[in-house]
Amino acid sequence: MKIMHEQLSFQGNNSFNIKWDDFPHFTFPWHFHSEFELVYVIQSFGRRFVADHTENFSNGDLVLIGPNLPHYWKNDEVFHKNDPDYKVNAIVVHFPADFFEQQLESYPEFLAIKKLLKRAARGIQFPKTTTSRLDKKLRQLLKLSGMELTLAFLSLLNELAQEKDWKQLASESYQPDLKNWTGTRMDKVMHLVNTNYRQQIKLDDIATEIGMNASAFSRYFKEKTGKSFIRFINEMRIGYACKLLQENRMNIADIGFESGFNNLSNFNRCFKSIVAQSPQHYRKHFLEKHF
């Protein structure tokens, strides 16, 4: 299976991303990224792949993945038959590899979290007794922002760090065989994308910025990310729109324009293509679940 390097973005001044997944099935392929990832599966089942480890997953699955560790969640076939009774509900948190790096290295209060993140280099699964106990705290993250969110997340990491009954996923002998994706050209592309995706960004303009013609850049971008440039931009915009919908402070039309779409019908069409439901239904479903 060809591995893909996912390029993540962090909106605004946030130090980490927290998102609510509400999809018919997991869609992301075999991939890795330079950030930590915490995945809490509330509703779904199938097969989970982390490096050289694979096993079944189901409701209540909680896993912490370290930077550059390949992973993939694959739903059972029943999730691909458009049956509304089978869907994915999950909370996913991404945070950078240097998250509170100075504190982790310098202060004894952070020692347990430091050890937790070190273990995450091979992936950690927590027992369902832990997820039952922390379910409310995990869901609460979706409702918070700013310093309240940061403190709540640190508290959650500290509780996970105290857990004794955890399981290492990748074997001790596992050695990642990852292509070097961090060249300066792709770094520049991602900087341009991350700072301009809410504007009318054009493939031709990005290609010119890095000294490539449009067709060559299109092939290069697809090779590096596994997605077309347009699809990648639209997924970033829709991800930002989901965050605004969750906050429930703006109307649908304003959220579409704020996220980078030039008209409401284009926003609705793109949102439904990526999320498999309308923005109105997404907001209604999220608020019913969490408020």
Side-chain angles (χ1 to χ4, degrees), residues 10-275:
F10 292 86
Q11 285 87 28
N13 295 319
N14 294 332
S15 300
F16 45 91
N17 285 340
I18 299 176
K19 63 176 183 172
W20 166 251
D21 282 353
D22 187 0
F23 306 130
H25 53 81
F26 282 109
T27 58
F28 225 81
W30 181 239
H31 70 288
F32 69 97
H33 42 70
S34 57
E35 294 78 15
F36 287 94
E37 179 174 314
L38 181 68
V39 180
Y40 175 36
V41 177
I42 297 171
Q43 176 185 350
S44 194
F45 59 86
R47 195 81 177 162
R48 172 174 23 82
F49 301 80
V50 177
D52 60 354
H53 180 274
T54 178
E55 66 179 347
N56 293 333
F57 74 89
S58 60
N59 297 358
D61 192 55
L62 180 63
V63 170
L64 179 61
I65 304 291
N68 299 320
L69 189 66
H71 53 282
Y72 171 42
W73 273 250
K74 180 178 175 57
N75 284 115
D76 286 359
E77 190 60 34
V78 68
F79 286 83
H80 298 267
K81 296 182 178 180
N82 297 318
D83 186 336
D85 291 333
Y86 294 92
K87 63 190 303 183
V88 172
N89 279 162
I91 296 171
V92 180
V93 184
H94 292 117
F95 57 104
D98 61 356
F99 185 68
F100 272 79
E101 184 175 40
Q102 183 177 348
Q103 288 78 6
L104 292 175
E105 292 297 328
S106 304
Y107 300 116
E109 294 86 352
F110 286 83
L111 181 60
I113 295 178
K114 177 182 177 180
K115 291 180 178 179
L116 171 74
L117 299 185
K118 184 176 181 180
R119 293 197 301 270
R122 288 170 46 209
I124 304 171
Q125 182 197 20
F126 298 94
K128 292 189 178 181
T129 53
T130 300
T131 56
S132 295
R133 179 168 53 84
L134 297 179
D135 175 81
K136 185 177 290 187
K137 284 196 171 187
L138 284 157
R139 293 174 187 264
Q140 186 70 18
L141 296 177
L142 295 164
K143 306 177 185 180
L144 302 175
S145 61
M147 182 58 73
E148 286 186 338
L149 174 58
T150 301
L151 293 174
F153 184 59
L154 282 173
S155 175
L156 176 67
L157 285 180
N158 188 55
E159 291 213 41
L160 292 175
Q162 308 303 322
E163 176 61 55
K164 305 299 183 185
D165 185 20
W166 49 270
K167 181 171 71 175
Q168 201 86 67
L169 298 181
S171 67
E172 290 186 26
S173 61
Y174 175 74
Q175 293 294 327
D177 182 19
L178 305 176
K179 185 176 178 180
N180 180 11
W181 294 88
T182 55
T184 55
R185 174 179 282 178
M186 196 61 188
D187 286 344
K188 185 174 183 180
V189 170
M190 294 314 301
H191 172 73
L192 292 168
V193 168
N194 287 334
T195 54
N196 294 284
Y197 71 91
R198 289 161 57 198
Q199 304 170 24
Q200 295 306 307
I201 186 171
K202 295 181 180 179
L203 183 148
D204 288 356
D205 294 339
I206 300 294
T208 299
E209 284 283 343
I210 64 169
M212 299 177 75
N213 63 50
S215 59
F217 171 69
S218 183
R219 290 192 300 272
Y220 170 78
F221 191 88
K222 182 70 177 289
E223 175 192 340
K224 296 296 186 185
T225 66
K227 302 177 184 179
S228 71
F229 182 75
I230 297 302
R231 177 73 180 189
F232 189 89
I233 294 295
N234 283 339
E235 286 187 358
M236 292 186 69
R237 289 171 173 167
I238 295 302
Y240 182 67
C242 285
K243 181 68 174 174
L244 296 180
L245 288 165
Q246 292 169 15
E247 292 174 353
N248 198 29
R249 297 173 183 169
M250 301 169 64
N251 64 49
I252 301 295
D254 287 345
I255 287 174
F257 288 115
E258 179 68 18
S259 303
F261 294 92
N262 54 15
N263 62 71
L264 182 58
S265 61
N266 186 28
F267 171 56
N268 284 329
R269 184 170 56 252
C270 188
F271 194 98
K272 194 165 186 178
S273 170
I274 291 171
V275 184

